[in-house]
């Protein structure tokens, strides 16, 4: 109040008995702002912050700076205040489109409170991970830029769209301000990780794998870059450490699945050159099964399995491997053929 000047003090005295919703609004006085909203302390931090934010929107203010309300003479827990303030900000941004208020700053003078606010931000990561452009992304990244997604045949970048957050640090000396800035940057860097997965199998990624990558990008706080022009092709994953780990594991799982599929197809091709299984077609002809089903039937026969379920013309059949009879769900039975391709040679 001393810094704001006598004019603001006089306004407060004038409106003291007329306040509504627990606050009064005065001119900025000597402070570098257009208005000052004076709160009447009631220990309901969340509701007070919500009221202030709605007042700013109604007043068409572009920015607002909030102190850690209630942590001074009111003696409230900094951790509780951090949770309630961030809850209020998140709910405000989610209720309806915000047209005027563009910047919300939380001003923290006591360095020990940084940890409480940082932990409160961290707790929201799990609940926020399912949204694509959540307001909470403001608190999760300090240096990612705007979204620049592109998808080409040979390369793809899925970059997380986030907003920048500004920390204004006040301290007793420049040395302490610099030390606090360094501490914040260290916290940020500890939470960041980049991992590159390189494998020839990545070149075989199709729409299925791309869709999985896009889903991971939506749910996780990561940027994913697919580059098929390199040899071997690679996927670069960067972002919050734990999300980078989980996405990297999923990429490895997809690579292993592709390798297994390619191996099965190779084995099926070799086996198809030796043995061919067939089912009845039209005009007393027989039609060859696809190579994977051919492999499944042959393996079941070799390992003496009694039955195997297969699909023929989109219908389910149960095959008796001893009699080579296949029966559908309606009880209709057909006879299969197993032809060795080296017969007669």
């Amino acid at each position: 109040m001393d810094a704001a000047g006598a004019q603001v003090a006089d306004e407060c005295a004038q409106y003291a008995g007329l306040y509504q919703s627990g606050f009064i609004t005065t001119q900025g006085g000597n402070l570098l702002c257009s208005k000052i909203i004076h709160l009447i302390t009631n220990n309901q931090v969340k509701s007070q912050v919500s009221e202030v934010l709605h007042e700013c929107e109604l007043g068409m203010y572009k920015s607002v700076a909030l102190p850690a309300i209630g942590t001074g003479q009111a003696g409230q827990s900094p951790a509780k205040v951090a949770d309630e303030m961030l809850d209020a900000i998140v709910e405000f941004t989610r209720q309806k489109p915000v047209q005027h208020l563009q910047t919300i700053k939380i001003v923290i003078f006591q360095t020990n409170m940084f940890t409480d606010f940082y932990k409160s931000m961290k707790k929201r990561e799990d609940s926020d991970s399912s949204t694509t452009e959540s307001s909470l992304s403001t608190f999760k990244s300090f240096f990612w830029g705007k979204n620049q997604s592109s998808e080409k045949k040979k390369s793809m970048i899925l970059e997380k769209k986030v907003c920048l957050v500004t920390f204004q640090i006040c301290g007793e000396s420049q040395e302490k301000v610099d030390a606090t800035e360094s501490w914040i940057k260290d916290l940020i860097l500890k939470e960041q990780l980049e991992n590159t997965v390189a494998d020839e199998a990545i070149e075989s990624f199709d729409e299925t794998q791309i869709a999985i990558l896009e889903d991971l990008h939506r749910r996780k706080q990561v940027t994913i870059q697919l580059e098929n022009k390199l040899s071997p092709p690679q996927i670069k994953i960067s972002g919050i450490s734990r999300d980078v780990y989980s996405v990297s594991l999923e990429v490895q799982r997809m690579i292993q699945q592709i390798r297994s599929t390619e191996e099965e197809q190779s084995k099926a091709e070799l086996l198809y050159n030796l043995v061919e299984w067939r089912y009845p077609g039209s005009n007393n002809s027989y039609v060859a099964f696809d190579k994977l089903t051919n492999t499944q039937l042959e393996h079941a026969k070799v390992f003496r399995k009694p039955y195997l379920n297969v699909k023929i013309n989109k219908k389910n059949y149960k095959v008796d491997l001893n009699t080579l009879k296949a029966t559908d769900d309606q009880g209709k039975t057909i006879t299969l053929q197993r032809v060795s391709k080296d017969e007669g040679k």
Side-chain angles (χ1 to χ4, degrees), residues 58-299:
L58 289 173
M60 295 186 290
Y61 305 142
K62 292 184 178 180
S63 66
V64 61
L66 302 168
I69 299 171
T71 57
Q73 293 181 353
Q76 294 199 55
S77 163
K80 174 178 176 292
V81 169
D83 286 341
E84 293 194 19
M85 291 187 71
L86 297 182
D87 284 344
I89 293 171
V90 171
E91 289 183 8
F92 170 73
T93 57
R94 285 178 174 172
Q95 284 176 357
K96 59 182 179 180
V98 180
Q99 297 180 349
H100 305 290
L101 188 58
Q102 299 176 3
T103 304
I104 302 172
K105 301 178 182 179
I106 299 178
V107 182
I108 304 171
F109 292 99
Q110 299 86 349
T111 55
N112 61 305
M113 290 188 191
F114 278 114
T115 301
D116 295 304
F117 277 82
Y118 177 75
K119 289 180 179 179
S120 184
M121 296 173 194
K122 287 282 292 177
K123 285 192 298 186
R124 286 159 173 77
E125 287 181 357
D126 290 335
S127 61
D128 181 52
S129 61
S130 62
T131 59
T132 308
E133 297 180 9
S134 169
S135 56
L136 278 177
S137 60
T138 305
F139 305 122
K140 292 187 201 164
S141 173
F142 297 86
F143 47 81
W144 280 334
K146 294 184 178 180
N147 185 35
Q148 294 180 345
S149 298
S150 63
E151 183 173 344
K152 301 179 181 179
K153 183 176 181 181
K154 290 297 181 182
S155 63
M156 178 186 71
I157 300 176
L158 297 173
E159 190 170 19
K160 203 68 179 178
K161 181 175 182 179
V162 296
C163 302
L164 296 177
V165 64
T166 301
F167 273 81
Q168 290 187 338
I169 305 170
C170 303
E172 297 176 356
S173 65
Q174 185 62 44
E175 181 181 356
K176 291 186 176 180
V177 170
D178 292 341
T180 302
E181 180 184 2
S182 177
W183 177 77
I184 292 174
K185 288 181 178 179
D186 286 343
L187 282 177
I188 296 170
L189 291 175
K190 287 178 181 177
E191 286 299 315
Q192 303 301 314
L193 182 68
E194 181 177 285
N195 184 43
T196 299
V197 180
D199 197 286
E200 295 293 347
I202 293 175
E203 191 172 11
S204 300
F205 274 26
D206 58 16
E207 291 83 357
T208 300
Q209 286 76 38
I210 298 302
I212 293 174
L213 290 177
E214 290 174 344
D215 179 63
L216 290 169
H217 167 253
R218 283 191 293 269
R219 294 188 292 106
K220 304 292 185 178
Q221 294 299 315
V222 294
T223 293
I224 302 174
Q225 182 173 349
L226 170 63
E227 184 55 74
N228 273 342
K229 294 180 180 179
L230 301 178
S231 182
Q234 67 179 30
I235 294 176
K236 184 181 292 183
I237 306 150
S238 57
I240 294 178
S241 301
R242 65 177 184 183
D243 286 349
V244 170
Y245 285 130
S246 63
V247 172
S248 297
L249 288 174
E250 181 62 23
V251 170
Q252 292 285 7
R253 187 197 64 79
M254 289 191 290
I255 290 173
Q256 185 58 46
Q257 189 175 49
I258 287 177
R259 285 178 175 172
S260 298
T261 300
E262 291 177 346
E263 185 177 350
E264 288 179 5
Q265 290 174 342
S266 178
K267 290 180 178 179
E269 182 71 32
L270 290 172
L271 185 58
Y272 187 75
N273 293 327
L274 300 174
V275 178
E276 183 176 284
W277 286 74
R278 303 169 181 172
Y279 60 88
S282 58
N283 299 324
N284 296 322
S285 63
Y286 275 81
V287 180
F289 281 96
D290 65 84
K291 294 175 183 178
L292 289 179
T293 304
N294 188 81
T295 300
Q296 292 170 358
L297 285 165
E298 185 61 21
H299 283 176

